Amino acid sequence: MRALVVDSDAPGSLRLGSAPEPEPASDQVVIEVRHFSLNRGEVLFAGRRPRGTVHGYDASGVVVRAAADGSGPEVGSRVAAFGAGAWAERMAVETTAVARVPDGVDLGAAAAIPMAGVTALRTLRSRDILGRRVLITGAAGGVGRFAVQLAALGGAHVIASVGSPGRGAGLAELGAHEIVVGVDGIERPVDLVLDNVGGPQLAAAWELLAPGGAVQNIGWASGEPAVFEPYSLFFVGPAKSMNTFGDVREVGPDLATLLEFAAAGRLSAEVDWRGPWERFPEATRALVERRIAGKAVLEIPTSG
């Protein structure tokens, strides 16, 4: 089958080539992939994976082989999935990481949701956000745009932090109550920070935390170290905390929730770039250079 595979000699360490057909375990379905989405970290660090690896994690398509153990959706089901080897004509994925795509939801939009959407949902669900002040850094990116929408749905006062004024376009319409560049202009403490940026901005965001507040460290788009002043992590009073996020186990139910939100018109997949997978070099460059606000989705043509 055709697939986007890792090749350290290729521009961006990716090339469109061939790979063996997936061999599913008993608890896996095989999906004919129709669309897949790109995440910036996947693109940036593709060269760290072994040569020939089928890359990517987010996909949508149609089940062409049901799980042997009887779990999961039947053949012919439209699904979205999170699993290794998504950037290929076919992928095998655990039934616990698959969700049916509701009627009326475009498969291309569905492919944009798994990694970024589940990350935003799970980090926000870690705290009670109703009536709280939530700061989302890197809000113009894939995770950030989902987080803005979900935090607003959860009743939070949403502060969207972006890298430049132009990157803030559209965030108010998604639910942001305030849009700031960096952390400039934030005058009151915040209860929760979803940090996608790291570096000096992470240290600055920590200083903005209210007593009992928390930072959820999701990404590190800045690529810079975070330096904290001596004793700045010490606090007298209700404990402030900083946590990392990386729990992507059994995402199927959460993915189903997000897809239902999309079907009800309560969540936008925010696909800013879409095209055939032959144009992957163009899409990956645009993503790395931050010329995409939200998600990039590639389409695989069907043989029929």
Side-chain angles (χ1 to χ4, degrees):
M1 65 176 182
R2 299 180 76 200
L4 265 182
V5 298
V6 174
D7 182 349
S8 57
D9 295 328
S13 299
L14 291 167
R15 64 175 172 81
L16 190 56
S18 62
E21 291 282 346
E23 297 181 3
S26 62
D27 64 343
Q28 291 182 317
V29 294
V30 176
I31 299 170
E32 180 184 80
V33 177
R34 302 286 177 81
H35 299 83
F36 61 85
S37 69
L38 307 175
N39 294 290
R40 193 167 183 270
E42 293 169 332
V43 173
L44 284 173
F45 304 122
R48 298 184 182 183
R49 306 199 69 191
R51 182 186 295 267
T53 299
V54 179
H55 202 25
Y57 288 88
D58 291 351
S60 66
V62 177
V63 175
V64 292
R65 182 173 173 179
D69 66 1
S71 64
E74 67 277 5
V75 171
S77 299
R78 295 186 340 132
V79 296
F82 176 86
W87 299 353
E89 290 181 309
R90 283 165 292 282
M91 71 178 296
V93 61
E94 290 77 8
T95 56
T96 56
V98 173
R100 297 176 188 272
V101 176
D103 293 340
V105 175
D106 169 65
L107 280 177
I113 292 176
M115 181 182 288
V118 169
T119 297
L121 178 65
R122 289 188 169 183
T123 51
L124 285 166
R125 200 167 52 201
S126 67
R127 309 283 290 190
D128 177 11
I129 62 171
L130 180 62
R132 306 292 187 182
R133 288 170 56 81
V134 175
L135 169 62
I136 299 163
T137 70
V143 174
R145 286 178 176 266
F146 282 120
V148 166
Q149 296 176 78
L150 293 170
L153 283 174
H157 178 91
V158 183
I159 306 167
S161 168
V162 294
S164 64
R167 294 282 285 173
L171 291 176
E173 291 77 5
L174 295 180
H177 300 90
E178 301 178 43
I179 301 170
V180 298
V181 176
V183 295
D184 294 340
I186 302 177
E187 298 178 350
R188 293 171 50 201
V190 299
D191 301 293
L192 177 64
V193 178
L194 271 63
D195 180 54
N196 293 284
V197 176
Q201 190 163 297
L202 171 58
W206 174 262
E207 294 295 330
L208 290 169
L209 269 187
V215 173
Q216 294 283 356
N217 182 251
I218 300 170
W220 210 281
S222 69
E224 301 177 40
V227 178
F228 294 86
E229 294 294 328
Y231 297 104
S232 64
L233 299 180
F234 177 78
F235 181 74
V236 176
K240 299 196 289 187
S241 62
M242 186 181 306
N243 305 285
T244 60
F245 175 82
D247 183 6
V248 291
R249 295 169 296 175
E250 300 184 355
V251 302
D254 286 339
L255 182 52
T257 295
L258 294 166
L259 289 165
E260 290 295 339
F261 283 163
R266 303 174 71 191
L267 185 73
S268 168
E270 292 296 286
V271 177
D272 190 43
W273 192 102
R274 187 164 174 169
W277 70 337
E278 287 85 359
R279 292 174 59 193
F280 80 90
E282 176 186 340
T284 56
R285 283 195 303 271
L287 192 65
V288 169
E289 295 170 4
R290 295 191 174 92
R291 290 185 281 112
I292 292 175
K295 297 289 292 182
V297 171
L298 295 169
E299 180 178 355
I300 301 177
T302 60
S303 56

